[in-house]
Amino acid sequence: MKKRKNKNAWYWMFLAVCLVSLVIVVFIPLAIGIWYSFTDWTGINNPTFIGMKNYARLKDDKLFWHSLLFSAKFSAVSVIAVNTVGLTLAMLVTRNIKGKNALRTIFFMPNLIGGLILGFIWQFIFVDIFDSISRFTGIKAFSGWLADPNTGFWGMVILAVWQMGAYVMVIYIAFIESIPEELLEAAEIDGVTPFQRFRHIIFPLIAPAFTINLFITLSNGFKLFDQNLALTNGGPGNMTQMVALNIYQTAFGESMMAYAQIKAVIFLVIVATFSLTQVYINKKREVEL
């Protein structure tokens, strides 16, 4: 009995450290942020309570709603692209091929590079290299990629896939390699095709990996900041500006801290709603599979 009490005491002690840290790092700043969204704080003055004025002003902020729509569009496309590439790479490097460990390392390397550096690398590729290809070949499609909102959008998608594809690949690999070999061998003996094996055996058994990866890529897609800053900086004409960059520009470019805070609060609610809904649907889907 005494041993059990000691075990419970250690359990609550470690849990208390986590809970206190969570309250200090997350909940208190969140509460302070919500309070500031009801003030006229600029970062310098003493904040004065102004009620719902910031919220009323936000509904007419066309740039914010455009950046939110752009973020949603980017998130939808990047979630599909990143997971398709990640799953394809995972299927490739879990086969019995030579050098698969080296391939895993090579594929994962872009994820070790910071977002800002990646942005500048791809900016160099899209601006200098693509323009050189356009001049050399005469193909206009390679010219002015970041000067056009449409190609700028796809440039950001390519960057996201290049960085995040291997990250989700690691999670898919972990689940694929946990599938019992006997099951796959039995299916092979029964004469199933590779597609049937993937559709009816592998796909259902790695369903939890889809839940995890969709959550990661969806939330990261909405929160993307440093890649957006380094690659396009929202240009041309703020047409590729995402929500995180819009909030940053409002806070530090225009010194409207309280107004930026209300944007952050709305953004938090939207991202949490999308992410939790996605997790709920996927968890339900896991049971059906």
Side-chain angles (χ1 to χ4, degrees), residues 39-231:
T39 70
D40 63 350
W41 188 49
T42 62
I44 299 174
N45 65 325
N46 290 323
T48 303
F49 183 77
I50 59 172
M52 299 294 289
K53 285 185 178 178
N54 284 332
Y55 288 82
R57 179 183 174 186
L58 185 65
K59 67 180 174 57
D60 297 322
D61 192 334
K62 292 181 180 177
L63 183 56
F64 172 74
W65 295 113
H66 170 78
S67 64
L68 185 61
L69 186 64
F70 185 84
S71 298
K73 180 182 168 187
F74 171 81
S75 299
V77 175
S78 66
V79 163
I80 297 170
V82 168
N83 282 279
T84 302
V85 171
L87 181 58
T88 304
L89 294 177
M91 293 298 295
L92 174 67
V93 298
T94 49
R95 295 170 65 88
N96 291 323
I97 58 174
K98 286 184 178 178
K100 64 180 183 181
N101 289 332
L103 287 175
R104 293 181 186 187
T105 305
I106 293 169
F107 291 151
F108 193 76
M109 285 179 70
N111 199 259
L112 302 176
I113 304 173
L116 277 175
I117 297 174
L118 274 181
F120 288 125
I121 290 172
W122 279 98
Q123 187 187 60
F124 171 74
I125 294 171
F126 290 136
V127 174
D128 294 312
I129 296 180
F130 272 35
D131 279 351
S132 298
I133 294 173
S134 177
R135 285 196 298 273
F136 182 74
T137 62
I139 301 174
K140 297 294 183 185
F142 286 104
S143 179
W145 257 59
L146 300 185
D148 182 272
N150 293 322
T151 49
F153 170 81
W154 288 108
M156 290 182 57
V157 171
I158 291 170
L159 190 158
V161 171
W162 199 64
Q163 183 182 27
M164 288 296 297
Y167 186 85
V168 301
M169 174 195 75
V170 173
I171 298 171
Y172 283 126
I173 289 173
F175 279 85
I176 290 171
E177 292 192 336
S178 68
I179 298 173
E181 281 291 331
E182 299 81 10
L183 193 61
L184 298 175
E185 288 172 0
E188 192 173 344
I189 292 170
D190 288 341
V192 300
T193 64
F195 177 76
Q196 289 173 326
R197 187 176 64 169
F198 174 79
R199 172 65 184 87
H200 298 292
I201 299 175
I202 296 177
F203 189 81
L205 291 177
I206 64 171
F210 285 106
T211 304
I212 298 168
N213 284 333
L214 290 178
F215 175 78
I216 291 172
T217 49
L218 182 64
S219 58
N220 278 351
F222 270 105
K223 295 185 299 182
L224 198 78
F225 171 73
D226 41 3
Q227 295 89 337
N228 187 202
L229 178 68
L231 186 64

Side-chain angles (χ1 to χ4, degrees), residues 16-28:
V17 173
C18 296
L19 290 176
V20 170
S21 301
L22 188 67
V23 169
I24 293 174
V25 175
V26 177
F27 290 110
I28 291 178

